[in-house]
Amino acid sequence: MDVTLSQAREQWSEVMERLGHGEETVLVNTKTRQAAVLRRLEGPQPPGPAWSSTRARQELGALVAAAQEATQVLTAGGRPVATVTRHATPQAEPSRPDTISGVTGLGDILDGLLQDAPPTGLSTGVAALDRASGGLPRGSLTLVVAPPNAGGSLLPLQATRAAAFNTEQPTPVLYALSGVPLQVAARRLIAAEALVPYAQFAAGTLTAEQRQAVVDADSRLRAAPLSFTRPEPAAQAIAEEASRIEGLGLVVVDRLQHARTDAAPLSGRALPSAMKTLARLAAERQAAVVVLLDTDDPQLVTQLEPDRTFHLSRPHDAGTARITVTAQDLGTLATVEVPLDMAHLRLLDEPAACATAAVTPASAAPSPTTTPASPGTRGAARPAATGPVRGPRPVTTAGSAHPSAGSAAVHKDGGRVGELVERIEGTVHAVLADTGGEVEEAVAALKKTAIPDVMALLEESRTGGRYDFRNYPDLPDILHKRGRQEADDIWEARPRWTAPPEVLDALADQAATVTALDINGAYLSALKAHLPIGQLEHHLGPDNGGPPHDTKRSGIHLITPPAWDHPGLPNPIGDREEPGPLWITESTLRLLLRLSDPKTGMCERPLIHESWTSGSTEQLLETLRRALVQVRTRALTSGSTEGEAAYEYVKAMYSKLVSTMGESNYNRDLYRQDWMHLIRSQAFANLWRKAWAADQAGLTVVRVMGTDELHLAGDWRGARATGKETLLFPKGREVTEVKPKNTYRLEKTAAGSYREREAH
């Protein structure tokens, strides 16, 4: 079968399954017009570069390009399974007019021009500008430029509303975000469409009447065909996303940044190349492409070679905008001046009272097919699986219980945590409004979008960060599943332990009370783990001649675990039954190294044979973690329906983030199997440390199960660490507290067999 790269990426499991049955697949790059055929390997492995299945899926374009030069080998589970070779696709000859000489006469062309074909342009959203410029022609790229702080973004926003929110003929729009947070772009669109003051909307100070205006616009806002890319896309990524949208009419890129920014592909020296890619996208999809540039530097504008340029300025006062239309080969075509409505971030269609005479050609250009409707009568859009943008109004689900929580976050990290909190709570508020206050229905809806929502929050939390978590380095084969129903080779040290009979017999004889404690937010706390941020590099361990363990690096390690001789505590390696070396994560290794330290002396040092590690950080998910903790705290103290829904929403987001960040079909924005194992094993290590602390405080550890279950006998309420006044297990629902689930006594029924009896 023949598939495009986008189709192959989405159906990769099916492609690999067909490969297993001997079926060939032709991978077609529609942009470069290159193709490669994927065939099952029947004989010995041919010479050539090897690509793991995961890497091939992520870099299909590079794979097809490499196959044009030489045979590539595809591996799965470390074994060669297929070859990828160049595939010649027949090139269709361009059609020519049916003439004897191969040239066309003017009369023939005139006949075609006089045919009553409808215009194909789109509206800019400003009638005066449409009359002067002919709107936004499909297949063409329009560059919007403006001096700093002149309001250049108003034109792309206006064009987006005119296309996507038109009730008679909505046109699919793709909105690419570069340097502009998703919630900011969404607020701007919603403020203009619902006619609410943007400044109050952003500050969360809308009146009841204004909030109702947003609610009244809700059906329009959800109905329109508007999709957002994830933040900071490359030009090629925009083109690939555009290829997935049926009937695409408009692509808006907000914005190109003239100064180079490490986290922004659409910046600096990359701009000319990006413009060529976007111009090619316009031509191939026959869509109008509108690109905003954050400067009006004429030298840069000339260098970018746009088909047309809209130059926006504000010559008189804040009440009007002057827009000059320039064509690449013809110079200035027209200038119009229109009123500004900065309160709602709109350009108005009415003539400006103080406008200068518009300079237009003698014969007006044809109006686009899509005529601009008046603001407030068009629908709006719900971004496609990109994150929570509904109801951006900040909603304090905690009331005044924690008045300083938000301000402390703003002071510490420039407001990023506060912004995330506002975004999460605004989403909960909006969904509850959608469901008429029905909590169960709202929670179900929030859980359905938890994965894309938390990924959007992660994107925002990393804005300006030096490390782009979307760069997926190649992972060693031991981190890939051996089969669809099989696990990989990493041992997470998950505890499943019950104390031995010599401990339980004494408790049964004494009729001692045992309390099962639930550790709150175990995975949420485990997000603060040492995560590798680069390509994992292989090296021998210190016991095989390699370098000593480096606390500034993180990854996975092949070890021989030490013997464990403490019947009152579970083995920190978990309930491993198979002896011999095993692969563990950094989280487990650090726990073992601490226990083998001479000051602790609980076991021998584990033997480290080899490792895959990279430079690491504990801060990668910290902003997101703190925001989720803050929302969770405010939700629990609010005692409201919003608090109840927010609590379940946060729980779904962090648990699904951890469970789907590996090889999951439910989250295609993050492929870090190593991070998933590290965070999960960090949760297990955290639980083990709590059991250890309980033992040190004189409590008897009865059971340690999973990520959050700890059974203790003794006065757990008053237990304190040695030399400290802080309680080990304060009761409550905060992430630093525990919940008692049930209390029971053990009754011995036979040797090594016990029954739980409810304790009164």
Side-chain angles (χ1 to χ4, degrees), residues 470-491:
R470 294 163 299 184
N471 289 329
Y472 312 131
D474 292 338
L475 298 176
D477 288 337
I478 52 176
L479 279 165
H480 295 302
K481 295 181 179 179
R482 296 179 178 177
R484 182 173 297 180
Q485 303 298 327
E486 299 181 34
D488 55 33
D489 292 332
I490 309 305
W491 180 254

Side-chain angles (χ1 to χ4, degrees), residues 632-691:
R632 185 182 183 278
T633 298
R634 292 154 64 106
L636 289 172
T637 56
S638 71
S640 65
T641 55
E642 285 191 18
E644 184 179 347
Y647 173 80
E648 295 296 334
Y649 182 39
V650 167
K651 185 177 180 180
M653 281 197 289
Y654 70 73
S655 61
K656 290 186 177 184
L657 172 65
V658 176
S659 63
T660 65
M661 66 170 54
E663 296 184 56
S664 169
N665 291 328
Y666 297 99
N667 185 355
R668 297 185 176 181
D669 290 325
L670 187 58
Y671 294 95
R672 290 305 298 257
Q673 194 82 351
D674 51 342
W675 289 4
M676 181 193 71
H677 287 305
L678 276 156
I679 293 171
R680 285 162 59 159
S681 58
Q682 183 68 52
F684 304 148
N686 290 346
L687 181 62
W688 194 95
R689 290 186 179 93
K690 291 185 181 296

Side-chain angles (χ1 to χ4, degrees), residues 23 34 114 160 173 197 384 388 450 469 475 497 532 546 549 587 613 638 662 703 713 725-726:
E23 184 173 338
Q34 294 176 331
L114 291 177
T160 298
V173 177
F469 69 88
L475 298 176
W497 178 86
H549 177 258
S587 303
T613 63
S638 71
R703 283 200 183 101
E725 293 300 319
T726 306

Side-chain angles (χ1 to χ4, degrees), residues 176-494:
L177 299 159
S178 179
V180 179
L182 173 60
Q183 75 276 13
V184 171
R187 280 192 188 123
R188 291 173 177 175
L189 288 165
I190 296 170
E193 193 63 23
L195 285 181
V196 296
Y198 174 76
Q200 291 178 239
F201 196 5
T205 57
L206 293 180
T207 65
E209 183 179 353
Q210 291 164 346
R211 287 199 297 272
Q212 186 59 44
V214 176
V215 173
D216 292 342
D218 183 80
S219 60
R220 303 198 312 273
L221 297 173
R222 296 182 186 278
L226 173 60
S227 302
F228 290 86
T229 67
R230 64 184 183 184
E232 311 304 338
Q236 186 60 40
I238 297 173
E240 291 183 3
E241 292 296 336
S243 68
R244 301 186 179 102
I245 300 177
E246 184 177 353
L248 179 69
L250 176 65
V251 177
V252 172
V253 180
D254 186 3
R255 62 199 56 178
L256 304 185
Q257 302 171 59
H258 73 282
R260 181 180 178 274
T261 303
D262 289 341
L266 299 178
S267 67
R269 295 181 179 179
L271 296 188
S273 174
M275 283 286 286
K276 291 179 181 178
T277 300
L278 295 171
R280 186 165 58 250
L281 163 64
E284 292 180 351
R285 290 303 309 272
Q286 281 300 292
V289 176
V290 176
V291 179
L292 176 63
L293 180 64
D294 67 351
T295 179
D296 61 348
D297 177 7
Q299 185 175 356
L300 178 57
V301 173
T302 301
Q303 182 183 359
L304 296 181
E305 300 180 341
D307 298 328
R308 291 193 313 170
T309 303
F310 288 171
H311 184 281
L312 186 146
S313 59
R314 292 158 71 173
H316 299 299
D317 54 37
T320 61
R322 175 180 292 171
I323 305 170
T324 301
V325 183
T326 305
Q328 183 178 17
D329 298 326
L330 301 176
T332 300
L333 299 179
T335 298
V336 298
E337 198 161 318
V338 297
L340 274 175
D341 177 8
M342 291 305 296
H344 305 101
L345 301 186
R346 300 182 304 161
L347 298 167
L348 301 179
D349 287 336
E350 297 83 357
C354 59
T356 58
V359 182
T360 57
S363 41
S367 298
T369 302
T370 307
T371 57
S374 60
T377 62
R378 294 183 291 266
R382 181 180 182 182
T386 310
V389 299
R390 296 162 291 176
R393 185 181 74 87
V395 180
T396 53
T397 56
S400 57
H402 291 270
S404 63
S407 59
V410 170
H411 176 73
K412 188 166 185 178
D413 62 7
R416 187 64 52 76
V417 169
E419 291 174 1
L420 298 183
V421 169
E422 172 190 338
R423 181 170 176 171
I424 297 168
E425 293 178 341
T427 299
V428 174
H429 177 82
V431 173
L432 274 171
D434 293 344
T435 62
E438 292 293 331
V439 176
E440 289 188 8
E441 187 178 345
V443 169
L446 289 166
K447 286 183 176 180
K448 286 182 180 179
T449 63
I451 295 174
D453 288 0
V454 76
M455 289 306 301
L457 293 169
L458 179 55
E459 290 268 12
E460 185 177 344
S461 75
R462 295 297 303 159
T463 301
R466 290 180 295 175
Y467 177 69
D468 183 1
F469 69 88
R470 294 163 299 184
N471 289 329
Y472 312 131
D474 292 338
L475 298 176
D477 288 337
I478 52 176
L479 279 165
H480 295 302
K481 295 181 179 179
R482 296 179 178 177
R484 182 173 297 180
Q485 303 298 327
E486 299 181 34
D488 55 33
D489 292 332
I490 309 305
W491 180 254
E492 295 177 344
R494 183 185 186 95

Side-chain angles (χ1 to χ4, degrees), residues 503-515 702 713-714 743-748 754-755 757-760:
V503 174
L504 300 183
D505 281 349
L507 295 177
D509 292 343
Q510 300 165 11
T513 299
V514 179
T515 303
V702 177
T743 303
Y744 61 90
R745 301 180 191 277
L746 290 173
E747 178 182 296
K748 187 173 182 179
Y754 309 87
R755 178 168 51 194
R757 291 290 192 186
E758 184 178 355
H760 299 287

